[in-house]
């Protein structure tokens, strides 16, 4: 038998030594997962039996080898929804919650004007953004598309019962039936430059699908496609939100500004004050 605090302390030290960014948090989350409780309730646990301690040690070893925490617990919290995640799908990041919040607000504004907002989530991955919009704006007509078959299976699981129209397809050609009729397009596309391979965190580089990470030599290939396809999908005056790398705070908006089909092109910063996503409005009213 062991005390939870002792197990957590040892685990956090082990994770810190291997470069895990949030060792105390991860150690607590893994122990809560093993014990079937929450981090907040760990203080109520008196002792951990040997079998549970062994399971915990095995998970900590995998996390120390930089397997994503969410793969070990099988879930990822995102705004007000909980998503099932694992090998084959991009693990949603907290930074993307800001983009999802923008999409929620944009859809809600359309609903407040008395229309049913039509929202398209391109490169949906786990379905995180689509699930959030559907959950927070029940009146919205939400559509999502994913190219990867593996990721699509996770999205199907996460969007089951949500009312979201989920399809298999490419962001460049999806939703021919919606052309010119969409109010909000939102996308967290691949945007890592191929040359940045070595700088990508091991959790992402070794476990996230490369289709969701890399996008040409400068990381802007998918964003260039979005500048065209987004305008095709949106009704005049419709809006788009696109996540990008923190080093693309000027380059990504410049792609949209140069396309000639957008106005009000703006960039937005995340909670760490880093450039994180752009928004733009389709020319015309």
């Amino acid at each position: 038998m062991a005390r939870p605090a002792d197990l957590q302390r040892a685990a956090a030290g082990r994770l810190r030594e291997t470069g895990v960014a949030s060792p105390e948090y991860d150690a607590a989350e893994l122990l809560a997962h093993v014990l079937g409780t929450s981090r907040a309730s760990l203080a109520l646990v008196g002792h951990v039996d040997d079998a549970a301690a062994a399971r915990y040690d095995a998970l900590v070893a995998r996390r120390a080898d930089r397997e994503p925490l969410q793969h070990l617990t099988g879930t990822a919290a995102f705004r007000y929804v909980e998503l099932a995640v694992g090998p084959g799908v991009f693990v949603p990041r907290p930074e993307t919650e800001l983009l999802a919040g923008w999409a929620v607000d944009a859809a809600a504004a359309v609903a407040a004007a008395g229309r049913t907002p039509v929202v398209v989530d391109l490169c949906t991955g786990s379905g995180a953004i689509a699930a959030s919009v559907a959950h927070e704006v029940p009146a919205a007509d939400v559509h999502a598309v994913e190219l990867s078959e593996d990721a699509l299976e996770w999205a199907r699981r996460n969007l089951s019962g949500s009312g979201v129209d989920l399809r298999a397809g490419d962001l460049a050609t999806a939703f021919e039936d919606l052309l010119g009729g969409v109010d909000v397009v939102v996308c967290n596309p691949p945007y890592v430059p191929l040359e940045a391979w070595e700088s990508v965190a091991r959790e992402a580089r070794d476990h996230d699908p490369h289709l969701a990470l890399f996008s040409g030599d400068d990381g802007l290939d998918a964003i260039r496609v979005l500048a065209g396809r987004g305008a095709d999908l949106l009704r005049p005056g419709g809006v788009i939100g696109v996540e990008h790398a923190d080093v693309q705070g000027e380059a990504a908006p410049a792609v949209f500004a140069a396309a000639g089909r957008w106005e009000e092109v703006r960039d937005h910063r995340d909670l760490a004050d880093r450039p994180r996503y752009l928004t733009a409005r389709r020319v015309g009213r």
Side-chain angles (χ1 to χ4, degrees):
M1 303 283 280
R3 294 196 313 156
D6 294 335
L7 290 174
Q8 283 180 246
R9 190 177 304 110
R14 185 176 181 183
L15 297 179
R16 190 179 301 108
E17 289 175 359
T18 59
V20 172
S22 51
E24 287 81 8
Y25 176 89
D26 289 20
E29 278 290 302
L30 288 174
L31 185 56
H33 172 67
V34 167
L35 298 178
T37 187
S38 65
R39 279 188 302 116
S41 298
L42 284 176
L44 303 177
V45 178
H47 292 85
V48 179
D49 65 40
D50 292 343
R55 294 197 301 274
Y56 181 56
D57 184 67
L59 288 178
V60 170
R62 291 169 64 185
R63 184 68 187 104
D65 197 38
R66 307 300 287 275
E67 191 169 341
L69 173 67
Q70 296 86 350
H71 283 198
L72 300 176
T73 64
T75 62
F78 189 87
R79 288 182 67 85
Y80 303 104
V81 298
E82 187 171 89
L83 305 163
V85 296
V89 70
F90 182 81
V91 175
R93 271 52 169 182
E95 295 87 346
T96 306
E97 293 187 21
L98 297 176
L99 175 62
W102 169 86
V104 165
D105 291 345
V110 174
R115 290 196 297 107
T116 298
V118 179
V119 181
V120 164
D121 177 18
L122 300 172
C123 306
T124 197
S126 65
I129 297 177
S132 292
V133 176
H135 177 73
E136 297 180 53
V137 191
D141 180 18
V142 184
H143 307 262
V145 68
E146 174 55 46
L147 180 61
S148 163
E149 292 185 5
D150 290 336
L152 195 63
E153 287 305 309
W154 290 104
R156 287 194 179 106
R157 181 173 173 180
N158 290 321
L159 296 175
S160 176
S162 68
V164 174
D165 166 33
L166 175 63
R167 309 184 194 182
D170 192 315
L171 70 89
T173 56
F175 301 116
E176 285 287 314
D177 54 318
L178 298 179
L179 292 179
V182 178
D183 296 292
V184 182
V185 170
V186 60
C187 183
N188 180 15
Y191 51 68
V192 179
L194 289 171
E195 64 183 20
W197 167 268
E198 292 297 334
S199 67
V200 177
R202 282 182 56 195
E203 285 87 344
R205 188 182 67 209
D206 297 346
H207 297 281
D208 280 329
H210 289 181
L211 183 65
L213 293 177
F214 299 100
S215 189
D217 291 340
D218 61 0
L220 295 171
D221 282 3
I223 290 175
R224 293 188 182 95
V225 174
L226 282 166
R229 190 59 175 177
D232 293 339
L233 287 167
L234 288 169
R235 67 175 73 248
V239 291
I240 190 170
V242 180
E243 186 167 317
H244 58 68
D246 55 9
V247 297
Q248 296 168 339
E250 295 183 2
V255 170
F256 276 73
R261 305 176 71 182
W262 302 97
E263 57 188 4
E264 301 177 26
V265 180
R266 298 169 182 161
D267 205 59
H268 305 262
R269 305 180 85 82
D270 61 22
L271 296 179
D273 199 33
R274 298 171 298 191
R276 184 52 57 195
Y277 68 96
L278 69 88
T279 60
R281 186 176 299 276
R282 172 78 162 85
V283 168
R285 298 289 178 177

